[in-house]
Amino acid sequence: MQIYLPIAELSVNLFFLVGIGGAVGFLSGLFGVGGGFLLTPLLIFSGVPAPVAVASVTGQVVAASTSGALAHYRRGAIDLHLALYLVLSGVLGAFGGVATFALLRDAGQLDLVISLGFLVLLGSVGTLMLVESTRAILKSRRGIVVRERLPNQHSWIHGLPWRVRFKKSRLYISVLPVLIIGLFIGFVGSLLGIGGGFIMVPALVYLLRVPGSVVIGTSLAQVVAMMAATTILHAVQSQSVDILLAFCLMVGGTAGAQFGASAGKYLRGEQLRGLLALLVLAVAIRFGLSLIITPSDVFSMAVVGTTTQ
């Protein structure tokens, strides 16, 4: 069943859109990520123009993340205080990301920046996550117990000013790294059309040392607010949001996120991080190949304007 996407200006199978939305929604609930780092590349590789894919996926990320966040909220697995700081800085970063998106699109360099951004970002984050999760899994199989951080153990973060107490996460840390993380993810998420959860989750775990019981729910809560603002900004400024495309992706994503949140209870933290790392690296490799392999259609033509005598 083919449907026509007015902003993307192409016809796509309806069941394909709903299907990939559901699959990515499942991963969103399972890993605590927005899913945009998978969905945006899938749409680009399927022929959807990069600007439309980036802007439209933000709506699906909101729907899938909202569904997953509600499931975690009902279990009391969200640190709302920490999420508030991440949301405020994330929205500010989204303003900068959407403005950069518009400038690159006008300059004709948006497609290249998106490909390079996915390659560098996903490649580096995926590699670090895979190394760490593999070490954790090997230690677990050998019976080596990895001790949790004790209350009297401190890191360099505790020496920074403006410390705030996050009771749910049992943390008393500076708010500066929290704001920087939110600002960075807001900028990158709005520029590349990703929720940023695959960056947020390891940052909360390894940098801020947020307990695993609340890290996924808190990440999803930040993704919901930040990507909702990004969707509105893209619709108003770049006008690249294809509502029909976003709606089809939302239908599948909302349902899939519920199943993913339930499935995540049966896997350990290091197993989830290892699987997420493999997915991130697979997408990075695909973008790397697209940059070095000569496309089948080297040249393209477009009507840029008409003149009258």
Side-chain angles (χ1 to χ4, degrees):
M1 180 178 177
Q2 298 290 117
I3 59 171
Y4 182 73
L5 304 177
I7 304 300
E9 298 182 341
L10 79 161
S11 296
V12 182
N13 188 282
L14 173 62
F15 299 108
F16 170 76
L17 293 179
V18 175
I20 62 173
V24 174
F26 177 84
L27 297 174
S28 173
L30 180 64
F31 296 122
V33 298
F37 76 96
L38 285 175
L39 194 51
T40 301
L42 283 175
L43 292 177
I44 294 175
F45 299 152
S46 300
V48 177
V52 178
V54 169
S56 301
V57 161
T58 58
Q60 189 276 343
V61 171
V62 172
S65 299
T66 299
S67 180
L70 288 175
H72 287 280
Y73 177 76
R74 288 193 291 266
R75 298 201 299 266
I78 297 179
D79 188 332
L80 295 177
H81 190 197
L82 177 60
L84 176 62
Y85 283 96
L86 293 172
V87 166
L88 292 176
S89 56
V91 171
L92 290 177
F95 275 95
V98 172
T100 305
F101 180 95
L103 291 175
L104 291 172
R105 185 179 184 182
D106 293 340
Q109 300 298 319
L110 183 60
D111 289 7
L112 177 61
V113 170
I114 288 176
S115 296
L116 289 175
F118 271 108
L119 175 61
V120 174
L121 190 61
L122 299 184
S124 57
V125 172
T127 300
L128 292 174
M129 289 179 62
L130 183 61
V131 170
E132 186 279 332
S133 60
T134 301
R135 289 177 177 174
I137 292 174
L138 292 176
K139 288 181 179 180
S140 176
R141 290 182 177 179
R142 294 172 182 172
I144 301 175
V145 178
V146 180
R147 299 180 61 186
E148 297 287 342
R149 178 181 57 88
L150 299 176
N152 60 348
Q153 289 181 333
H154 298 278
S155 66
W156 62 271
I157 292 178
H158 293 79
L160 296 176
W162 299 354
R163 288 188 290 180
V164 176
R165 190 177 302 279
F166 301 102
K167 295 182 180 180
K168 187 75 174 181
S169 299
R170 304 190 302 276
L171 294 174
Y172 183 50
I173 59 175
S174 170
V175 74
L176 291 178
V178 177
L179 296 177
I180 292 173
I181 291 172
L183 190 69
F184 174 75
I185 292 178
F187 178 84
V188 174
S190 58
L191 180 61
L192 300 180
I194 57 178
F198 71 97
I199 306 175
M200 176 70 74
V201 170
L204 293 180
V205 172
Y206 305 124
L207 184 60
L208 302 183
R209 294 181 178 178
V210 177
S213 59
V214 299
V215 67
I216 292 181
T218 304
S219 171
L220 285 173
Q222 190 269 352
V223 168
V224 170
M226 185 266 291
M227 295 308 282
T230 300
T231 303
I232 296 173
L233 291 173
H234 273 303
V236 173
Q237 185 166 342
S238 65
Q239 299 178 349
S240 299
V241 178
D242 194 310
I243 297 178
L244 182 57
L245 171 60
F247 177 77
C248 293
L249 297 172
M250 286 180 189
V251 171
T254 303
Q258 292 294 322
F259 292 102
S262 299
K265 296 183 294 184
Y266 302 100
L267 294 173
R268 296 197 303 270
E270 63 270 16
Q271 293 175 330
L272 286 173
R273 295 194 298 271
L275 292 173
L276 179 58
L278 291 176
L279 284 173
V280 169
L281 285 175
V283 177
I285 292 172
R286 178 61 180 83
F287 268 105
L289 292 176
S290 68
L291 289 172
I292 61 177
I293 295 177
T294 304
S296 57
D297 187 8
V298 180
F299 301 100
S300 62
M301 296 187 347
V303 178
V304 296
T306 58
T307 58
T308 57
Q309 299 294 334

